[in-house]
Amino acid sequence: MRPAAGLLAGAVLLLLAACTGDGAQHRPLPAAPAADEVSHRPLASPTLPPVVNSDGCQGLISAAQVQQATGLPVGASQGDGAAAAAQYGQAAQTLGLTAQARMCPFGSAAGDQVTVVALTFADAGQAQKLWTTIVSLEAVGGVGEAALSDKSKTLLTRRGKAIVAVYLVAAADPGADHLPQLRSVAGTALAKA
């Protein structure tokens, strides 16, 4: 018997063995419950998992420092910051880089948002390798060894083995030139990255 035919025969035997009973009389399951067995209680609703609040910022920058730098009344946002930071570290690994990531989200009831992400690499060469992949922003000065920005919402800066990214949305005027605020937040975070 060929190996494939042997496997097929073995599978058929297992299937037949599973279908045969032990000879005992089994009562078939009813197609629907009897009228007196039907429950009229509502079905239990699914529950949400518990909210996880963890610190992915690890002292990089505080809400008070962000408020001072931006003039926005933001506070620390809730969420699993440590898990979000870990995802940035894992993304760096996919590029063959090793980085410790910290993520600091801040927000206000008015809709203002400031998110600071710092990647600290094993050495300056790794930071430079990632830096050379960023092409969609304009070079600006005033913070770090190099900085790139759209001057409104995003600024990335690099110094030594660290890269800091700042994302800012000022709800009252989201399209305005926020480069001074972006630089201020990035400079504060870069000092600790």
Side-chain angles (χ1 to χ4, degrees), residues 19-188:
C19 292
T20 60
D22 57 2
Q25 296 292 328
H26 295 284
R27 193 175 80 178
L29 295 174
D36 61 339
E37 295 176 10
V38 175
S39 171
H40 296 286
R41 290 180 282 151
L43 295 174
S45 64
T47 60
L48 295 174
V51 175
V52 176
N53 289 317
S54 63
D55 180 20
C57 192
Q58 302 172 9
L60 179 67
I61 191 167
S62 69
Q65 290 171 313
V66 172
Q67 286 178 17
Q68 183 178 4
T70 63
L72 300 172
V74 297
S77 295
Q78 301 298 311
D80 194 356
Q87 290 176 351
Y88 282 99
Q90 291 168 354
Q93 285 178 341
T94 64
L95 299 172
L97 307 172
T98 303
Q100 176 199 8
R102 293 185 273 177
M103 181 180 164
C104 311
F106 303 96
S108 74
D112 302 312
Q113 296 176 9
V114 180
T115 303
V116 182
V117 177
L119 296 173
T120 305
F121 294 89
D123 56 59
Q126 287 190 30
Q128 180 60 33
K129 182 177 179 182
L130 180 62
W131 189 258
T132 59
T133 67
I134 304 166
V135 295
S136 62
L137 299 171
E138 177 184 336
V140 296
V143 64
E145 295 168 1
L148 302 168
S149 181
D150 64 3
K151 298 182 182 177
S152 176
K153 294 179 178 72
T154 307
L155 179 122
L156 289 95
T157 186
R158 178 183 53 81
R159 182 177 68 207
K161 60 183 186 173
I163 294 177
V164 170
V166 179
Y167 179 72
L168 180 147
V169 175
D173 198 2
D177 183 349
H178 297 292
L179 186 57
Q181 293 93 337
L182 290 163
R183 280 184 182 135
S184 183
V185 172
T188 302

